[in-house]
Amino acid sequence: MIRTILTYPNPLLKKKSAPVDSINDATRELARDMIETMYDAPGVGLAAPQIGVLQRVIVIDIAGKNEPPELIVAINPIIVHAEGEVYEEEGCLSVPDYAANVKRHASVTVTALVLDGTERTWQAEDLLAIAFQHEIDHLEGILFVDHLSALKREIFQRKARKAAEEKR
Ligand code: NI
């Protein structure tokens, strides 16, 4: 089922998500819905809090962007190693019509559970590394705009307020 993607400034996007303690039918249904919602948007990643579920589940598929296509479902993901630095433009399904450059690690090692309950480790570079960091941030209630300088963030907030007023 395609779920509604919450957008800034929805307060749920600022909340920290709880770890999944057991992978059951509800977890599998959540993952299925997240995958469907991500592809429908379309986006390259989605975190459960973006559909209002405060659980540590992310999905990523950066296919078609110079990376080998792979659908990733990561439960309770942890960045166990990070190095290097990149500064690339990011957007977010929860922050429509806005993109900005964000400083991230160039490569990360991520460990997580997958849907069959086993543990997996990804060695991620470039766009996949950025996607992991972006989606794991969501589980902490952090949006990419929270990484901007105070001045850039202020400009973003002003734009967002203006857009909200125009919608009214
Ligand atoms: Ni996002």
Side-chain angles (χ1 to χ4, degrees):
M1 193 178 78
I2 294 167
R3 309 269 200 111
T4 303
I5 298 174
L6 306 182
T7 55
Y8 176 93
N10 190 302
L12 283 178
L13 294 170
K14 301 294 286 177
K15 293 247 159 64
K16 199 173 157 150
S17 291
V20 173
D21 8 90
S22 76
I23 296 168
N24 51 33
D25 286 348
T27 321
R28 283 182 281 272
E29 192 186 340
L30 170 65
R32 260 200 313 273
D33 285 358
M34 287 173 63
I35 292 163
E36 215 178 313
T37 306
M38 171 179 74
Y39 286 138
D40 176 69
V44 295
L46 192 74
Q50 291 182 274
I51 56 165
V53 177
L54 296 178
Q55 290 186 30
R56 303 185 79 85
V57 179
I58 61 172
V59 296
I60 293 173
D61 187 345
I62 53 167
K65 304 233 178 170
N66 305 323
E67 301 277 344
E70 185 194 4
L71 171 63
I72 294 169
V73 177
I75 300 162
N76 301 341
I78 295 167
I79 295 172
V80 292
H81 182 76
E83 62 180 48
E85 200 179 279
V86 283
Y87 189 61
E88 295 285 345
E89 190 173 82
E90 286 181 35
C92 178
L93 295 174
S94 292
V95 186
D97 307 319
Y98 186 76
N101 278 19
V102 177
K103 210 186 280 176
R104 300 280 190 188
H105 292 293
S107 77
V108 292
T109 308
V110 176
T111 299
L113 294 175
V114 293
L115 280 173
D116 66 7
T118 59
E119 195 179 271
R120 243 203 90 171
T121 300
W122 292 267
Q123 177 58 56
E125 319 273 334
D126 308 316
L127 185 58
L128 184 58
I130 292 170
F132 267 120
Q133 292 167 88
H134 178 116
E135 300 311 331
I136 292 171
D137 262 3
H138 275 297
L139 306 180
E140 296 298 318
I142 297 167
L143 298 176
F144 80 96
V145 290
D146 296 319
H147 289 288
L148 303 179
S149 68
L151 178 66
K152 275 193 184 162
R153 201 163 54 235
E154 207 177 292
I155 293 168
F156 160 71
Q157 285 164 342
R158 207 178 305 148
K159 262 191 197 154
R161 270 197 302 272
K162 216 176 139 204
E165 275 164 26
E166 277 165 8
K167 246 191 242 164
R168 242 181 259 146

